Amino acid sequence: MLSELTQEAMRLSLPLLLLLGTWAAPRGLGEKAWLSATAPQLDEEEKYSAHMPAHLRCDACRAVSYQMWQHLAKAEAKLHHPDSRGTQGLSESIYTDILDRSCSQNWQDYGIQEVNQVKHLTGPGLSKGTEPSISVMITGGPWPVRLSETCFHYLGEFGEDQIYKAHQQGRGALEALLCGGSQGACLDKETATRKEL
């Protein structure tokens, strides 16, 4: 009974404690392990720019790629029946509409998080390996609009046909098309340094 009350109290107080940035997790009888987290400190560009800040463009591209892939994969899954043989692709009008809807979604599951003094976008499709035991993510604000605009930018740059063809080759191929290449948002720093030399 006591543990149920403790769990209920923790469940009710966790949002308030996370807002305060400190939380005590019970270890055993009388012992507590203190955890703390602070909200990311956003600079002027991160707060007010109409565009995605340069240091977050790779994360944004990967989020857009994931959402496009997921929306297209769900639509294709609806076409395939368990007893059907072979794969049937989406018609051009359907994948064009799906890609438009993937960009028009609300993007509320994404936000910015700071881990080890490095800011990253976080959300579906953006896992970075080991996550801290407690962290603060800022959602809403300019992030949904920026992600939607980034998504529509890639639709305009590559076109629905090329994006769908890459999707048919797999999630990695779609991400490589949108985010890779010599001008891609996820161009690694080593390659960029070599080009500058």
Side-chain angles (χ1 to χ4, degrees):
M1 180 72 171
L2 181 59
S3 67
E4 289 177 30
L5 291 174
T6 304
Q7 289 175 351
E8 183 64 17
M10 285 178 55
R11 187 184 67 77
L12 294 173
S13 62
L14 182 59
L16 176 62
L17 292 171
L18 286 177
L19 286 174
L20 298 175
T22 305
W23 184 58
R27 282 188 177 164
L29 294 176
E31 292 182 47
K32 292 182 180 182
W34 289 97
L35 304 173
S36 67
T38 58
Q41 298 300 309
L42 304 180
D43 63 27
E44 296 297 309
E45 180 185 25
E46 293 162 343
K47 287 180 194 174
Y48 304 116
S49 175
H51 305 287
M52 186 63 69
H55 62 280
L56 298 172
R57 288 185 187 150
C58 180
D59 290 340
C61 185
R62 291 178 55 239
V64 165
S65 171
Y66 175 79
Q67 287 298 321
M68 287 179 172
W69 172 80
Q70 188 177 47
H71 280 80
L72 290 167
K74 284 181 182 179
E76 288 175 333
K78 290 179 183 178
L79 283 180
H80 301 117
H81 302 288
D83 59 345
S84 69
R85 295 170 200 224
T87 59
Q88 180 181 1
L90 301 172
S91 69
E92 181 179 357
S93 63
I94 291 176
Y95 68 71
T96 298
D97 182 54
I98 289 167
L99 287 169
D100 186 60
R101 279 188 279 140
S102 72
C103 292
S104 299
Q105 67 176 303
N106 67 24
W107 298 94
Q108 292 299 317
D109 293 336
Y110 291 90
I112 190 166
Q113 181 179 45
E114 189 170 354
V115 178
N116 297 326
Q117 300 175 340
V118 177
K119 296 174 200 157
H120 290 284
L121 285 179
T122 186
L126 293 179
S127 67
K128 297 260 187 207
T130 58
E131 294 291 323
S133 56
I134 187 170
S135 63
V136 177
M137 175 175 137
I138 298 175
T139 59
W143 306 112
V145 172
R146 289 174 181 166
L147 284 164
S148 182
E149 288 175 355
T150 300
C151 188
F152 280 116
H153 166 79
Y154 288 123
L155 275 182
E157 182 176 345
F158 294 100
E160 290 87 349
D161 295 340
Q162 190 175 2
I163 289 171
Y164 186 61
K165 285 178 186 168
H167 160 78
Q168 290 177 309
Q169 296 171 20
R171 182 177 166 196
L174 179 56
E175 188 173 306
L177 171 71
L178 299 181
C179 310
S182 61
Q183 300 298 314
C186 295
L187 178 67
D188 66 328
K189 290 178 180 158
E190 182 181 319
T191 305
T193 304
R194 268 192 256 132
K195 281 186 117 178
E196 290 172 6
L197 297 175

